[in-house]
């Protein structure tokens, strides 16, 4: 399963490099990719080279990173909260990022230049929301996971209320820009963004995947886990921190891409069983591949215009989620 | 030597006193069962002894080590728990479930070693779980499930196990099977057991010592036969109990205790009018 997942990611990534208004042959792209690892020579023209390596490649890499992070964070949240409806936005990351981005986009104080400040404020807003959730939820250490989830719901509602107020107080052009950000997009992907997000995704995904064994223990509940020797509070703090930090970094750059974090772990659970030692690493590859495909659809289906990627993931995600729910009726895929 | 020493233990929740100043020693290699009516504090006592409930006052020592100085991992190497209502995560195999008992030994980042796996297989074989080791835990019957939970506790390789109502929900055959299994572990492996049981007859027949609680306080403690035959037993349950000796085994029989008022209300039971 792991090997086939890697192959799927490579195929989807190559497909992502080949798809676009400018037709570039597969063989040329393959030769160019191979030449970048020091073997052979690229046969692409300078224009093709520019399109592949400055426009498409950062977009594909960013999609891979975002898809991997959101899927792993979603799976981790589902494990640590023992809740099948958990997704990476559970503790208010989305609402916080949305408020931060909206503040930047509507240019409060007129001192902000949007392209620079949007990701920074989105990141700050996301982290602020999670920290407030953690504090209100009883620092997450002493309280149970339900208290933390409810605190997340409250913080998300509060931040969304502020965000909606700011959004509605502005012109329709500004509202449109906020909506586009909220639906997510990889259109402005650059190597600079990739470099910003990369360390967060690598470290946070590594922490989450490494916590798979602890999440398996947690499946028997907090009390039994403690009696088995698991430092439940510390594990919860570490994995929630890693998931939230990685998610905040990703959404600050690509916006709020929904459904990936909830449906990918569920689909993987159907394929590999209920152990998080398998769910998390496979979700990483599946999520990465899925978001590259979704981005490919987003930029080709109404070409030369583009669909927000959040629309595509929701359009694909909703029916797939219904299918998964139906399959659950005939096969147990979630611990009751 | 005492495997578990409880010193002046009190547990409060708000204004409610669940456990009131209990001091108790559980000798190593013995089976000690806590009995008493509902609300006496049995579960609170054993949960405190297992380290999953913090005392309001007092101390608990396991193998002479103060439990409050141990972290989760150190505690799990000293004492194992079979909870009253264990969570059974559907989709997990019996082998993986039993393997959870090794968590404290291999840590959360490292995989099980060959020794861990050998210990798990040994426990699975000892408790006769081999033929369904690869089955989904959700597919087990009540009796099989309780054996599996005990196997997980034994896989922790502790010398002390705490069990809270381990036979609730089992039929008579499976109750006896389970208690015999536990008795064998005490006799053959030197295990120390602290359990709660509602069935006074089974408690008296299987445990070495009984601890009688009432309203959070220790009423009587001692050898099973002494506690079963003590007047405090019936007083704690506020009813009439008869202890009948059948082939050397004490059988506790509850006697319906109808007052004159009750007789007047239910005259038809005796076929006469008062």
């Amino acid at each position: 399963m792991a090997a086939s997942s890697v192959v799927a990611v490579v195929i989807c990534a190559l497909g992502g490099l080949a798809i676009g208004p400018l037709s570039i042959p597969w063989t040329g792209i393959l030769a160019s990719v191979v030449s970048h690892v020091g073997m052979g020579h690229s046969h692409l023209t300078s224009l093709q080279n520019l399109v592949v390596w400055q426009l498409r490649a950062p977009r594909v890499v960013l999609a891979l990173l975002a898809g991997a992070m959101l899927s792993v964070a979603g799976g981790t949240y589902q494990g640590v909260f023992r809740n099948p409806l958990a997704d990476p936005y559970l503790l208010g990351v989305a609402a916080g990022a949305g408020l931060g981005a909206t503040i930047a986009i509507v240019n409060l104080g007129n001192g902000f230049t949007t392209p620079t400040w949007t990701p920074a404020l989105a990141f700050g807003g996301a982290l602020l929301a999670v920290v407030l959730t953690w504090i209100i939820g009883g620092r997450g250490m002493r309280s149970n996971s339900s208290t933390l989830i409810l605190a997340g719901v409250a913080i998300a509602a509060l931040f969304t209320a502020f965000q909606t107020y700011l959004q509605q107080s502005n012109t329709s052009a500004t509202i449109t820009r906020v909506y586009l950000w909220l639906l997510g997009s990889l259109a402005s992907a650059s190597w600079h963004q990739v470099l910003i997000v990369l360390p967060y995704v690598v470290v946070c995904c590594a922490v989450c995947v490494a916590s798979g064994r602890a999440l398996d223990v947690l499946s028997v509940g907090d009390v039994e886990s403690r009696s088995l020797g698991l430092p439940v509070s510390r594990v919860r703090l570490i994995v929630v921190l890693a998931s939230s930090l990685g998610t905040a970094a990703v959404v600050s750059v690509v916006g709020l891409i929904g459904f990936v974090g909830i449906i990918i772990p569920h689909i993987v659970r159907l394929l590999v069983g209920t152990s998080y030692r398998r769910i998390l690493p496979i979700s990483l590859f599946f999520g990465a591949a899925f978001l590259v495909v979704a981005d490919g659809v987003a930029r080709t289906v109404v070409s030369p215009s583009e669909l927000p990627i959040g629309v595509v993931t929701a359009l694909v995600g909703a029916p797939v989620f219904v299918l998964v729910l139906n399959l659950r009726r005939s096969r147990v895929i979630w611990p009751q | 030597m005492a495997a578990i020493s409880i010193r002046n233990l009190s547990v409060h929740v708000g204004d409610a006193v669940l456990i009131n100043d209990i001091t108790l020693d559980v000798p190593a290699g013995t089976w000690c069962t806590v009995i008493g009516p509902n609300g006496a504090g049995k579960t609170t006592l054993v949960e405190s002894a297992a380290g999953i409930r913090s005392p309001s006052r007092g101390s608990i020592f396991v193998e002479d080590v103060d439990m409050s100085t141990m972290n989760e991992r150190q505690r799990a190497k000293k004492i194992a728990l079979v909870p009253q209502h264990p969570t059974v995560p559907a989709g997990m195999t019996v082998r993986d479930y039993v393997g959870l008992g090794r968590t404290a030994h291999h840590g959360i980042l490292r995989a099980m070693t060959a020794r861990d796996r050998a210990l798990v297989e040994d426990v699975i074989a000892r408790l006769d779980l081999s033929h369904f080791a690869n089955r989904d835990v959700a597919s087990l019957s009540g009796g099989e499930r309780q054996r599996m939970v005990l196997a997980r506790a034994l896989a922790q390789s502790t010398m002390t196990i705490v069990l809270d109502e381990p036979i609730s929900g089992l039929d008579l055959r499976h109750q006896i099977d389970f208690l015999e299994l536990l008795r064998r572990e005490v006799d053959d492996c030197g295990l120390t057991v602290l359990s709660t049981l509602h069935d006074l007859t089974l408690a008296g027949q299987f445990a070495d010592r009984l601890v009688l609680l009432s309203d959070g306080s220790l009423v009587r403690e001692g050898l099973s036969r002494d506690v079963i035959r003590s007047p405090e037993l019936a007083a704690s349950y506020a009813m009439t109990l008869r202890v009948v000796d059948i082939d050397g085994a004490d059988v506790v029989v509850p006697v319906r205790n109808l007052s004159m008022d009750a007789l007047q209300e239910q005259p038809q039971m005796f076929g006469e009018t008062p």
Side-chain angles (χ1 to χ4, degrees), chain A residues 39-259:
Chain A
M39 291 184 287
H41 298 284
S42 171
H43 304 297
L44 299 181
T45 65
S46 56
L47 176 65
Q48 288 174 329
N49 209 44
L50 185 74
V51 169
V52 169
W53 292 106
Q54 295 307 318
L55 295 179
R56 295 182 189 171
R59 187 169 184 149
V60 166
V61 174
L62 201 57
L64 289 171
L65 293 174
M69 188 67 243
L70 292 174
S71 303
V72 168
T76 304
Y77 269 45
Q78 288 166 17
V80 79
F81 292 112
R82 300 175 64 223
N83 187 333
L85 291 175
D87 76 354
Y89 306 146
L90 188 71
L91 300 186
V93 169
L99 177 60
T102 305
I103 289 171
I105 291 169
V106 303
N107 269 343
L108 273 183
N110 299 319
F112 300 133
T113 50
T114 301
T116 310
W117 282 95
T118 303
L121 287 193
F123 185 68
L127 290 187
L128 177 66
V130 174
V131 169
L132 286 177
T133 297
W134 194 264
I135 292 169
I136 291 171
R139 290 200 297 125
M141 305 284 276
R142 287 165 288 135
S143 63
N144 58 31
S145 54
S146 303
T147 314
L148 207 52
I149 292 172
L150 289 172
V153 170
I155 289 295
L158 188 70
F159 275 56
T160 303
F162 280 123
Q163 187 264 329
T164 308
Y165 170 75
L166 281 176
Q167 185 181 315
Q168 297 304 322
S169 310
N170 279 273
T171 62
S172 59
T174 309
I175 292 172
T176 305
R177 284 167 63 201
V178 171
Y179 265 125
L180 283 175
W181 188 89
L182 291 177
L183 288 168
S185 174
L186 291 157
S188 60
S190 66
W191 286 117
H192 176 67
Q193 288 180 334
V194 168
L195 287 176
I196 290 174
V197 169
L198 184 67
Y200 288 100
V201 172
V202 169
V203 172
C204 296
C205 277
V207 170
C208 291
V209 169
S211 71
R213 193 173 297 279
L215 296 183
D216 281 348
V217 180
L218 260 181
S219 65
V220 296
D222 288 8
V223 170
E224 287 181 61
S225 297
R226 281 194 187 95
S227 80
L228 291 167
L230 188 76
V232 174
S233 304
R234 201 158 9 119
V235 166
R236 183 174 292 140
L237 172 66
I238 291 169
V239 296
V240 166
L241 188 69
S243 306
S244 302
L245 192 62
T247 302
V250 165
V251 299
S252 68
V253 172
V254 301
L256 304 182
I257 300 175
F259 267 112

Side-chain angles (χ1 to χ4, degrees), chain A residues 260-281:
Chain A
V260 182
I262 192 162
I263 60 159
I264 295 295
H266 277 296
I267 292 168
V268 172
R269 187 175 283 111
L270 263 180
L271 295 172
V272 303
T274 57
S275 170
Y276 286 96
R277 278 174 287 158
R278 291 185 288 272
I279 290 173
L280 294 179

Side-chain angles (χ1 to χ4, degrees), chain B residues 181-243:
Chain B
L181 195 65
L182 200 56
R183 185 72 246 178
R184 212 165 54 226
E185 292 293 326
V186 175
D187 294 339
D188 298 349
C189 308
L191 198 68
T192 304
V193 170
L194 176 64
S195 69
T196 65
L197 281 181
H198 265 303
D199 191 312
L200 300 175
T201 300
L202 293 177
Q205 288 186 13
F206 281 91
D208 300 301
R209 303 178 70 81
L210 294 181
V211 176
L212 175 62
L213 297 189
S214 184
D215 292 330
S217 298
L218 193 153
V219 176
R220 178 144 187 167
E221 185 264 331
L223 293 175
S224 296
R225 195 175 178 85
D226 297 341
V227 176
I228 283 290
R229 291 175 173 273
S230 68
E232 290 93 339
L233 186 67
S236 298
Y237 285 88
M239 65 182 298
T240 306
L241 294 173
R242 294 273 181 273
V243 180

